Every structure is written in structure tokens, then in C-alpha cells.
């Protein structure tokens, strides 16, 4: 795999200044949680049985333990890989990259499986065979923290597809995403950046040279869906005099990263990663409300051949808006039943 360096955008010192806080912080939180869980579990179990709330707090406690166990395991495994494959080298070896791709997939699968089991999710996947072969540009709906894991679980882990992520910089607070994610070709972007052209250039570099077992993952909405964000986005559209359609269940897509990836990978097909059901866990409040318990979750992959995608940037923006309009209608059709 040969990827140009411009997708990197952070100094070594800045990264380790952050990690000097997050790694000890997460480790301490994990050990504290493991220590108090035996005492906390019966209390939450009794409270759940008394209130009849489907043991929501017990389920959340179970998921928290899985998450922090995955974090501790990931931190330790990343250190082992760094030593074993001499990760301090200026140019990482193929074996080192492959091992970190595998660790990323295992970490994502562990957390997603933990959520599925803890909340009794009934997960169904359609079009999983649409993910391969590469090169592909995967466009994902973003309505829940859990949907960050979906392409990694059903694309990278299931089909051994090496995904290069375009992901929110806020997630660098997670030490596993930080450590492993910065060893691999990924771009961490700032939502609302004052230099969108610079970020687009980094995405262009990231998407350059994709092979038959590789893809780029982009969340065009740029942020987690919420009614408030949607209202603000539609207000900005109206103030700008845009005639774009009014979405109901998704945020209007941002085109910068998508256009950059399409330009850099002219032979790549696009795969739309849609889902229904995971938005019941849109935030911590909804998770604690029990809305996710026993949900039917449908994950759908749909491949769009490159020949069906316009080549001019303006037409690509219109195509992206139409694609997101179809996604919005698909979600709405289920809710109207």
C-alpha cells in the first residue's frame, strides 16, 4: 500500500500530549468500573426488576464493561504490535499495517457484538456482498455512535476490506482510535473547519492509489444527526437561498470530502451504507431510556457503479443530494408503517 503523507496533519508532540491524558484516564476509568461492577450489578438488577424498565441500567453497565475491556485490550495490543513490528521505524512494514488493520477490526467487532448482546438487538444485513471488490468509496449514514462501527464490522472485518477513514477529530479522545487510527491511512477532520480546502486536499491524498482490497469511508453529514442540527442546517440553507430539498431524517450531505475522494479515485464505485434502528441510540439519554432494547436493526449496503455517477463536480453534488434524499425517504417509509 502506497499512500502519500499529506493525509497526516498532526505533530508527534501534540499527539502524545493528548495521549498522556487519555490513556491514563481511560485506563483508570476501566479499572474503577471493573472494581465497582460486582457491587453495582445487584443494585441495578433489583432497581430494574422493581421499575420494570427491561433492566436498562444493567444492559448499559454490561456495554460499558465491554467497551472499556476493548479499550484496555486495544491499548495493550497496540503496544505489543509496536514492539513486535518495530513500529518506531520511519516507514512501517506491510506486516505492521496488516496487524493494525486486524486489531482495528477486532476492536470494532467486540464493541458492536457487546451492544448487540447487551440490548438484545436483532440485526439483519442486506447487500453485504456489495462491499467488495475495491476500490470503493463507502458513504455512511451517521445517526448513532454505534454506526461508526458498522462499516468496520461488515466491511473491514467480514470481507477483509482495508478501509481508510475520514472521521471526526473529536474521536481522537478514544485512545484506541487515536493509537491505531494514526498508524493507518486515515484523516481526522474538524467539523466546521476554517480551512475546508486543506481538509479536502488531505482526503484527496488519502483516496489516491486505492487497490482492489481497499476503500475510503466517509460520513457526508459531517456530524451526528439530531433534530436541532437538522433545523439549523435547513435554516442555513434557506438563508443562503438554496433550493435543496428539506430532509427529515438525515442531515444535508456535505460535498467536500466526497468530491475529493471521487476525484482521487476515478475508478472507484460508491457503496451506500444505510441503517434503520440504530438511531434509537442517538445519544446517551436515548440509550438510558431503553429505546434500543430489543430493536430490529436493518443494515443495508447498495453499490453504485462509477458509470452511473456524474463526472462534473456540480453534477456530483446534485447526485449526492439526490442519493441522500433517497436515504431520507427509505428511513421515512419504515417509520410511517
Amino acid at each position: 500500500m502506497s499512500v502519500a503523507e499529506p493525509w497526516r496533519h498532526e505533530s508527534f508532540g501534540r499527539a502524545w500530549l493528548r495521549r498522556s491524558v487519555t490513556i491514563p484516564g481511560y485506563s483508570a476509568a476501566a479499572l474503577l468500573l471493573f472494581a465497582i461492577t460486582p457491587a453495582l450489578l445487584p443494585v441495578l438488577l433489583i432497581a430494574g426488576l422493581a421499575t420494570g424498565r427491561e433492566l436498562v441500567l444493567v444492559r448499559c453497565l454490561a456495554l460499558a464493561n465491554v467497551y472499556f475491556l476493548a479499550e484496555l485490550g486495544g491499548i495493550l495490543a497496540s503496544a505489543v504490535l509496536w514492539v513486535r513490528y518495530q513500529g518506531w521505524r520511519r516507514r512501517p512494514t506491510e506486516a505492521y499495517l496488516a496487524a493494525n488493520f486486524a486489531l482495528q477490526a477486532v476492536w470494532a467487532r467486540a464493541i458492536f457484538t457487546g451492544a448487540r448482546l447487551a440490548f438484545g438487538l436483532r440485526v439483519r444485513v442486506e447487500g453485504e456482498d456489495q462491499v467488495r471488490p475495491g476500490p470503493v468509496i463507502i458513504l455512511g449514514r451517521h445517526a448513532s455512535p454505534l454506526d461508526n462501527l458498522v462499516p468496520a464490522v461488515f466491511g473491514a472485518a467480514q470481507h477483509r476490506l482495508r478501509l481508510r477513514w475520514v472521521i471526526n477529530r473529536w474521536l481522537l479522545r478514544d485512545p484506541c482510535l487515536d493509537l491505531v487510527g494514526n498508524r493507518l491511512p486515515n484523516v481526522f477532520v474538524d467539523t466546521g473547519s476554517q480551512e475546508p480546502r486543506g481538509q479536502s486536499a488531505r482526503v484527496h491524498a488519502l483516496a489516491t492509489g486505492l487497490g482492489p482490497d481497499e476503500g475510503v469511508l466517509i460520513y457526508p453529514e459531517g456530524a451526528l444527526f439530531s433534530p436541532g442540527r437538522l433545523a439549523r442546517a435547513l435554516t442555513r440553507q434557506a438563508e443562503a437561498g438554496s433550493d435543496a430539498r428539506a430532509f427529515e431524517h438525515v442531515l444535508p450531505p456535505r460535498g467536500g470530502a466526497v468530491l475529493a475522494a471521487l476525484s482521487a479515485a476515478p475508478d472507484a464505485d460508491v457503496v451506500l451504507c444505510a441503517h434503520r434502528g440504530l438511531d434509537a441510540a442517538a445519544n446517551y439519554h436515548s440509550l438510558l431510556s431503553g429505546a434500543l432494547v430489543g430493536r430490529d436493526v436493518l443494515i443495508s449496503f447498495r453499490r453504485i457503479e462509477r458509470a452511473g455517477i456524474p463526472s462534473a463536480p456540480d453534477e456530483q453534488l446534485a447526485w449526492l443530494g439526490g442519493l441522500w434524499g433517497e436515504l431520507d425517504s427509505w428511513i421515512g417509509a419504515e417509520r410511517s408503517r
Side-chain angles (χ1 to χ4, degrees):
M1 175 174 52
S2 175
V3 179
E5 282 297 307
W7 47 264
R8 293 205 180 276
H9 191 60
E10 186 176 47
S11 68
F12 178 85
R14 181 180 177 183
W16 278 101
L17 180 62
R18 177 180 62 250
R19 293 165 189 168
S20 69
V21 175
T22 59
I23 292 176
Y26 268 67
S27 300
L31 294 175
L32 177 62
L33 179 65
F34 299 157
I36 66 174
T37 290
L40 195 57
L41 181 59
V43 175
L44 297 182
L45 185 60
I46 293 171
L49 292 172
T51 58
R53 292 187 59 216
E54 299 181 301
L55 303 178
V56 174
L57 295 180
V58 174
R59 296 174 190 272
C60 289
L61 179 64
L63 179 56
N65 274 270
V66 169
Y67 172 71
F68 278 108
L69 185 61
E71 285 296 308
L72 277 188
I75 292 169
L76 293 174
S78 69
V80 170
L81 295 183
W82 188 80
V83 173
R84 179 179 179 183
Y85 294 103
Q86 299 180 4
W88 56 85
R89 292 179 176 178
R90 185 174 181 83
R91 294 187 65 84
T93 64
E94 173 61 26
Y96 183 57
L97 290 173
N100 279 281
F101 270 117
L103 175 56
Q104 179 178 261
V106 169
W107 176 86
R109 178 176 280 177
I111 297 174
F112 189 84
T113 301
R116 180 175 61 82
L117 295 176
F119 285 85
L121 303 180
R122 296 182 291 271
V123 180
R124 182 163 58 95
V125 183
E126 293 181 347
E128 195 174 347
D129 59 337
Q130 301 284 297
V131 175
R132 283 190 68 99
V136 292
I137 299 168
I138 298 180
L139 305 181
R141 179 194 180 198
H142 196 25
S144 165
L146 290 175
D147 62 29
N148 281 320
L149 305 172
V150 168
V153 173
F154 297 101
Q158 195 77 6
H159 294 283
R160 300 181 182 274
L161 184 72
R162 292 188 173 188
L163 286 179
R164 307 177 185 183
W165 295 52
V166 180
I167 194 168
N168 197 317
R169 184 176 177 79
W170 186 89
L171 292 174
L172 287 174
R173 291 169 172 79
D174 183 299
C176 281
L177 276 174
D178 186 2
L179 289 167
V180 178
N182 276 300
R183 293 174 182 176
L184 300 173
N186 299 311
V187 166
F188 292 89
V189 297
D190 294 306
T191 301
S193 170
Q194 298 304 307
E195 49 175 20
R197 290 185 180 178
Q199 295 199 147
S200 293
R202 292 168 56 216
V203 174
H204 189 282
L206 182 76
T208 300
L210 290 176
D213 63 342
E214 293 179 306
V216 171
L217 170 64
I218 301 171
Y219 290 93
E221 291 163 273
L224 196 65
F225 175 87
S226 72
R229 282 197 178 104
L230 176 60
R232 290 191 293 273
L234 296 179
T235 298
R236 286 194 297 269
Q237 284 187 345
E239 291 174 348
S242 171
D243 59 356
R245 63 172 291 164
F247 298 99
E248 296 182 47
H249 313 291
V250 296
L251 298 179
R254 302 178 182 182
V258 178
L259 265 60
L262 289 171
S263 173
D267 298 326
D269 291 343
V270 168
V271 174
L272 175 64
C273 176
H275 66 81
R276 294 191 298 232
L278 289 178
D279 44 1
N283 51 49
Y284 295 116
H285 179 268
S286 60
L287 195 66
L288 290 170
S289 73
L292 190 63
V293 177
R295 286 295 292 257
D296 289 309
V297 175
L298 173 60
I299 297 168
S300 172
F301 293 94
R302 176 163 68 94
R303 193 179 188 100
I304 304 162
E305 294 186 2
R306 190 53 180 263
I309 300 173
S311 56
D314 288 347
E315 294 176 350
Q316 288 176 345
L317 284 176
W319 165 82
L320 178 61
L323 183 65
W324 237 245
E326 293 174 13
L327 174 59
D328 190 56
S329 298
W330 181 75
I331 298 166
E334 174 66 19
R335 292 185 178 179
S336 65
R337 291 182 182 178

